[in-house]
Amino acid sequence: MKKTSRRNFLKHTATCSAAVAASPYFFSSEQLLRADAPSDRVRMGCIGVGSLGRPNASEFSGIADVVAVCDVDTSHMDEALAPHENIGIKRDGKIVTQPEKIKDYRKILDRNDIDAVCIVTPDHWHVKIAVEALQAGKHVFCQKPLTLTIEEGQLIRAACKKYNRTFQVGTQQRTDFSRHFLNAVILIQKGLLGKVKNIVCHIDGSPSSGAIPKASVPETLDWDKWLGQAPLVDYIATEQPHRERRNSWPRNSRTHYEFRWWYEYSGGKFTDWGAHHVDIAMWALNLNGQGQGAISFKPISVEHPVPFKDGNPTIDNKYNTATKFDIECKFENGVVMNVVSNSQFGNGILFDGEKGRIHVSRGHLNGKPIEEIKDKFGEYVTEDDYKKAYNGKKREGHKQNFITCIKEGGLPISDVFTHVQAMNVCHLTAIAARLGREIKWDPKTEKADDDQAQSFVARERRKGYEIPIIT
């Protein structure tokens, strides 16, 4: 096979979109990179290096060259470059070059020497950066949940079809080291449970807070840029980060890790853990293709920490995502999935089928059907099954699978297209919870049956923070 330089490989992939137009979910190319040659290693920029971004960047440093880091909080970049974080260009296991610190992510996208980006920002920034990265010719690894709204899923799906780059979503539960979830998916698809009738996704509930006072914006943080597309509001926090404490952030605030508990920037547990468990449930039942999804979302019970009117919180200084809930999601094929904050089974997924039930979590895969095959498990789940789940690739870590697909072509194990289908369900559970009533949904047209529910499909974005529309 003819060998080509890394740069020519990237030039080659930029011309492939027309060739895959008939089959947009599978990107193909020759294996043109040599992982053992430093000049052929993927060069990455890491956008967002806070509490989760730093370990992501450190993990990539073992399999790629991290040449730049970016964050709107300069303290995060300073901490990312601390020796114990082990982020940068490695040779023989040692950092030989530290990455450049860049505050504006667009400067990373402008660099011709950067092949791929790792995006680990708050959720409301994911799609804007990802679409612009694809436009700039970059391969993209983006943490979950990928989208803030259903419309954002449509935008990123269109961008991935058009720009033909490798895009891996950070739902590492698909490649969890224990393989509990992957084994469950394979066994269910092979018919271990027969027809699955009911699913319970236990994803826990969001925390609540007291009233959070207005506070001074930390000198290291660009608050306007952090807010991005979201409305301009005061900075609030009850405790500033302790710089001597690793991976710290302001507690009871709107920023950094705490953004998850505000519908303005995320979806609470509906999109946090829902992005994992709902994804696995829909994958196991082959219900994650475009046009598939639940058709009704009925709140059995919901508790929010603040009052709501017309689906919006009426208090702006307390966490506002749901603390307790049970949302019933019905699929067209008759499967009923309850997304709950609490259950007798614990965090994880319960699959109830004609031939029995199993429960899978990050700590176990159990149930009578599993016990019955434990002595011959290898006959039920084989390496060929893993290879099929990996879209023809060998079983490997989540980030390594991303790098492999950049070099060899093919679809990563956690692709944009199935993730968007799962996220649509997650967003709709949140919309039903916010409205406090059942909503009907057409997964083929991606429209609700009433104007009020449909109004939550997209959001108005602050001027200057629009997401490019891909046609």
Side-chain angles (χ1 to χ4, degrees):
M1 180 180 293
K2 181 181 178 181
K3 293 183 178 179
T4 306
S5 70
R6 176 179 61 82
R7 183 54 47 201
N8 285 338
F9 164 78
L10 294 167
K11 182 178 179 182
H12 167 81
T13 58
T15 65
C16 290
S17 58
V20 299
S23 181
Y25 293 0
F26 189 84
F27 307 148
S28 62
S29 67
E30 296 178 3
Q31 184 177 354
L32 299 173
L33 295 183
R34 303 188 308 281
D36 57 337
S39 62
D40 289 339
R41 284 168 66 89
V42 172
R43 290 170 63 87
M44 295 192 66
C46 293
I47 303 172
V49 285
S51 59
L52 182 60
R54 283 196 291 282
N56 273 249
S58 181
E59 289 169 20
F60 270 122
S61 290
I63 55 178
D65 289 347
V66 175
V67 300
V69 296
C70 175
D71 205 290
V72 297
D73 190 330
T74 57
S75 70
H76 287 174
M77 291 189 285
D78 293 339
E79 292 166 9
L81 268 57
H84 59 257
E85 295 294 354
N86 215 19
I87 297 171
I89 298 176
K90 282 184 180 180
R91 297 291 181 263
D92 298 323
K94 297 180 179 179
I95 297 294
V96 297
T97 305
Q98 282 199 320
E100 180 182 356
K101 292 190 293 184
I102 298 174
K103 192 172 181 180
D104 188 336
Y105 74 91
R106 293 172 295 184
K107 293 183 179 179
I108 285 182
L109 304 187
D110 287 341
R111 284 178 53 167
N112 291 327
D113 66 324
I114 291 180
D115 311 320
V117 294
C118 171
I119 303 171
V120 194
T121 63
D123 302 353
H124 66 292
W125 265 104
H126 285 170
V127 169
K128 178 174 173 59
I129 298 174
V131 169
E132 292 174 358
L134 293 169
Q135 288 181 312
K138 313 302 183 190
H139 304 283
V140 178
F141 181 99
C142 187
Q143 268 300 337
K144 46 62 61 182
L146 179 56
T147 59
L148 180 67
T149 65
I150 291 170
E151 182 208 29
E152 287 193 358
Q154 297 165 346
L155 295 176
I156 194 63
R157 188 169 58 203
C160 284
K161 289 180 181 179
K162 180 172 182 177
Y163 294 109
N164 184 30
R165 289 294 181 271
T166 298
F167 197 121
Q168 176 89 299
V169 182
T171 45
Q172 288 96 334
Q173 196 161 268
R174 286 193 172 204
T175 58
D176 180 59
F177 180 76
S178 68
R179 302 198 297 277
H180 293 320
F181 291 99
L182 185 54
N183 288 338
V185 167
I186 291 169
L187 289 168
I188 290 168
Q189 290 182 349
K190 283 190 165 186
L192 181 70
L193 302 183
K195 183 179 179 180
V196 174
K197 302 172 292 183
N198 298 97
I199 304 171
V200 176
C201 291
H202 175 155
I203 61 175
D204 297 324
S206 299
S208 59
S209 73
I212 306 172
K214 183 178 177 179
S216 298
V217 178
E219 293 181 358
T220 60
L221 176 66
D222 187 330
W223 176 231
D224 184 86
K225 286 290 194 300
W226 188 96
L227 287 170
Q229 65 166 290
L232 183 61
V233 294
D234 289 333
Y235 180 87
I236 59 176
T238 56
E239 179 187 335
Q240 293 300 321
H242 295 284
R243 293 305 173 204
E244 68 276 11
R245 186 174 64 209
R246 188 178 176 192
N247 290 344
S248 64
W249 58 84
R251 312 296 172 170
N252 286 350
S253 73
R254 287 179 174 270
T255 54
H256 301 331
Y257 186 88
E258 309 297 310
F259 74 84
R260 292 163 173 80
W261 321 132
W262 304 85
Y263 282 126
E264 293 91 325
Y265 321 115
S266 187
K269 290 291 185 176
F270 291 120
T271 57
D272 184 35
W273 272 88
H276 287 301
H277 290 350
V278 171
D279 169 60
I280 295 294
M282 293 175 64
W283 187 22
L285 271 61
N286 291 309
L287 290 173
N288 57 4
Q290 190 167 340
Q292 294 182 300
I295 58 175
S296 71
F297 298 81
K298 181 180 179 180
I300 306 302
S301 62
V302 179
E303 290 184 21
H304 280 102
V306 298
F308 272 65
K309 181 180 180 181
D310 297 326
N312 294 301
T314 59
I315 294 175
D316 64 3
N317 64 349
K318 295 181 179 181
Y319 294 161
N320 57 38
T321 55
T323 54
K324 297 180 181 179
F325 48 83
D326 179 354
I327 312 295
E328 180 187 83
C329 313
K330 291 184 178 179
F331 290 80
E332 195 168 18
N333 65 354
V335 172
V336 175
M337 177 174 70
N338 286 75
V339 179
V340 304
S341 58
N342 188 46
S343 73
Q344 62 178 308
F345 312 104
N347 185 291
I349 312 168
L350 177 77
F351 293 94
D352 189 1
E354 295 172 321
K355 300 179 182 179
R357 56 168 54 177
I358 63 173
H359 188 264
V360 59
S361 72
R362 294 187 178 182
H364 65 251
L365 170 58
N366 58 30
K368 187 175 180 182
I370 302 299
E371 289 296 315
E372 291 173 346
I373 67 168
K374 66 179 182 179
D375 293 334
K376 47 184 177 178
F377 194 87
E379 299 177 18
Y380 284 85
V381 180
T382 68
E383 285 300 324
D384 285 342
D385 292 322
Y386 291 134
K387 187 174 182 179
K388 181 181 177 182
Y390 273 82
N391 298 307
K393 299 289 190 293
K394 66 180 179 180
R395 176 167 54 85
E396 58 189 356
H398 210 75
K399 295 177 177 64
Q400 181 60 61
N401 179 244
F402 173 61
I403 300 298
T404 297
C405 289
I406 290 175
K407 296 177 179 180
E408 299 180 357
L411 200 65
I413 190 169
S414 188
D415 64 284
V416 162
F417 308 103
T418 58
H419 183 75
V420 165
Q421 298 309 120
M423 286 311 304
N424 284 353
V425 171
C426 294
H427 291 312
L428 287 160
T429 57
I431 293 169
R434 293 175 66 168
L435 293 175
R437 61 173 174 82
E438 183 176 12
I439 59 176
K440 303 288 186 179
W441 178 255
D442 185 339
K444 295 180 177 63
T445 62
E446 295 185 331
K447 291 184 178 180
D449 70 342
D450 68 87
D451 291 341
Q452 187 184 41
Q454 184 64 25
S455 70
F456 284 83
V457 168
R459 299 188 189 183
E460 182 179 356
R461 301 180 184 95
R462 201 154 55 99
K463 186 176 180 180
Y465 295 97
E466 298 84 1
I467 298 173
I469 305 299
I470 307 302
T471 57

